[in-house]
Structures are given as C-alpha cells and as structure tokens.
Amino acid sequence: VLSPPFDTDEFDPIPSENEFRKKFEIPPDKKLITFLGRLHHIKGNDFLINGFERLMQKRKDCHLVLVGPDDGHEAVLRQMVSEKKLENNVTFTGFMGGSDKNEALVASDIVVQLSRFEQGAWAPMEGVLCGTPIVVTAHTGTGEDVERLNAGYTVAFDDVEMLADTFNQILLNYNAALDLTNKARAFIIENLSMNARVNEYYSLFE
C-alpha cells in the first residue's frame, strides 16, 4: 500500500510575492487568513467565520479570504459575514487555480482547513509548500497528516476560543511558525514528493 505522493514541482521554488492583495484591495499591513477549497458545509467555514470573529475581538489587523467555488454553502457564509458585520474584513474570491491560487497562498499569513471530515491534507499542504503556516481540525485525516509530519497546528472542531487563540499565537510568534513550516516543506520535498518516491512505483510495477 502506497500513500499518494505530493506533486511539488509547481511550488519549488516558492512563487514570488505578487499582486494578490492589490487585486482584491487588501491592505499590505493586514494579516491574511486564507481558506482554499470548495464552499461546502463539510469544510467547516461556518466554524472558521465564528473563530475569525472572535480573533477580531482580540486584534483588528486581520482579513479572511475564502478561495474556492460555491458548492452549496456560500449564501450561508455570506449571511454569517453580514450578520457579524465583517463585510469589510472578509473576501470571497471564487475559484482560483494554477499560479493565481499559489499567489493567494504566498500572500497569506495563515492557510486554514477546518473540515468536519477530510481524508487527506493536500490543500493545506499546498500552503506549507508555499511557505505559509497552516491550521487544520485535529480529528480528520488532514489533522493526522499534519500532526504526523509536524507540519502545522491543529484545533478541536467548533472550539471557537481555541481557534482564535491559535491564530493569535501564530501571528504573535510568527518566526517560530515559519520555522516549523519551512522544516515541514523541506521534508515533504525531500521525502514525500513524486520525484522522491517515483522509484517506489517502479518497484511495485516490476
């Protein structure tokens, strides 16, 4: 049994800093927290918005970006944002792929995936491969991958205070978060990438 390797070539080297913030009119001094994926109930973005609201009570310099296509949950999320009066602090970009998606990840300070259920960690690992610290829910397959690789931070699903505190602690100790992220990035490229593991597949087929 072979686990899927990571296709890391598009992230090595890390894409350079870019025009993402300018395109979506996000000031450069804002701390950018980004979700990447489809806007579906299973992805837990209602929990994310609740945690972001709590974070904004601790500090006012953050901005939330939801990158991905609507899959039945966007209207609910927009209603939450409106009710919490966070319209000026939350951006919905719609689908972004390729270099546009990578630019969003590089421009971010934290990449997040707070799924109710998730089998693997590809989307947040894209954040790691772009050099951006990640936060995921602990009880999922994603959480298991992140903890096994020591690639980021995990939180309990629906623990709003824990999520806000985790965001805040990462931002307060950002150099430590970057160090953790860069070590995980190097390990993934050297040991878990398609380039590093292709011989396993040759051996299997032989």
Side-chain angles (χ1 to χ4, degrees):
V1 177
L2 299 179
S3 60
F6 294 101
D7 185 2
T8 60
D9 284 353
E10 68 175 297
F11 308 101
D12 192 14
I14 295 173
S16 60
E17 198 61 53
N18 49 70
E19 299 294 309
F20 176 80
R21 288 174 182 259
K22 184 184 295 184
K23 179 178 180 181
F24 290 97
E25 299 181 344
I26 301 169
D29 60 337
K30 292 291 186 181
K31 305 300 183 184
L32 198 57
I33 298 170
T34 300
F35 163 80
L36 172 65
R38 57 197 174 95
L39 304 185
H40 188 281
H41 175 74
I42 203 170
K43 297 294 186 179
N45 287 316
D46 45 341
F47 170 36
L48 172 57
I49 290 171
N50 286 331
F52 180 74
E53 178 190 32
R54 182 70 185 96
L55 175 66
M56 290 292 285
Q57 294 168 5
K58 299 174 183 286
R59 54 190 301 159
K60 302 297 185 184
D61 62 343
C62 296
H63 195 95
L64 176 63
V65 176
L66 300 171
V67 177
D70 182 25
D71 195 8
H73 204 216
E74 183 173 343
V76 172
L77 300 175
R78 286 186 178 274
Q79 182 66 27
M80 287 183 67
V81 169
S82 177
E83 289 173 355
K84 295 176 185 298
K85 301 186 182 345
L86 292 171
E87 296 98 324
N88 293 331
N89 301 99
V90 180
T91 299
F92 293 81
T93 71
F95 173 78
M96 300 183 77
S99 61
D100 290 337
K101 171 204 66 182
N102 292 345
E103 285 186 0
L105 297 176
V106 171
S108 301
D109 294 282
I110 300 173
V111 170
V112 60
Q113 185 185 78
L114 302 174
S115 300
R116 290 174 163 84
F117 172 82
E118 198 74 52
Q119 206 157 17
W122 177 238
M125 288 306 178
E126 287 186 285
V128 171
L129 291 167
C130 285
T132 306
I134 61 171
V135 178
V136 304
T137 35
H139 71 283
T140 62
T142 296
E144 292 175 3
D145 285 347
V146 168
E147 289 179 348
R148 177 170 50 85
L149 297 173
N150 195 27
Y153 303 81
T154 61
V155 296
F157 183 79
D158 249 358
D159 190 331
V160 172
E161 193 66 34
M162 183 182 185
L163 178 58
D165 283 344
T166 299
F167 285 154
N168 195 35
Q169 288 304 310
I170 290 171
L171 295 172
L172 289 173
N173 303 280
Y174 202 66
N175 286 336
L178 286 177
D179 185 56
L180 181 79
T181 302
N182 289 329
K183 286 178 180 176
R185 179 180 184 274
F187 182 85
I188 291 168
I189 291 172
E190 292 170 12
N191 298 283
L192 301 177
S193 66
M194 179 65 81
N195 295 329
R197 296 183 57 202
V198 66
N199 286 334
E200 296 177 26
Y201 288 82
Y202 283 133
S203 298
L204 175 65
F205 281 103
E206 286 173 355

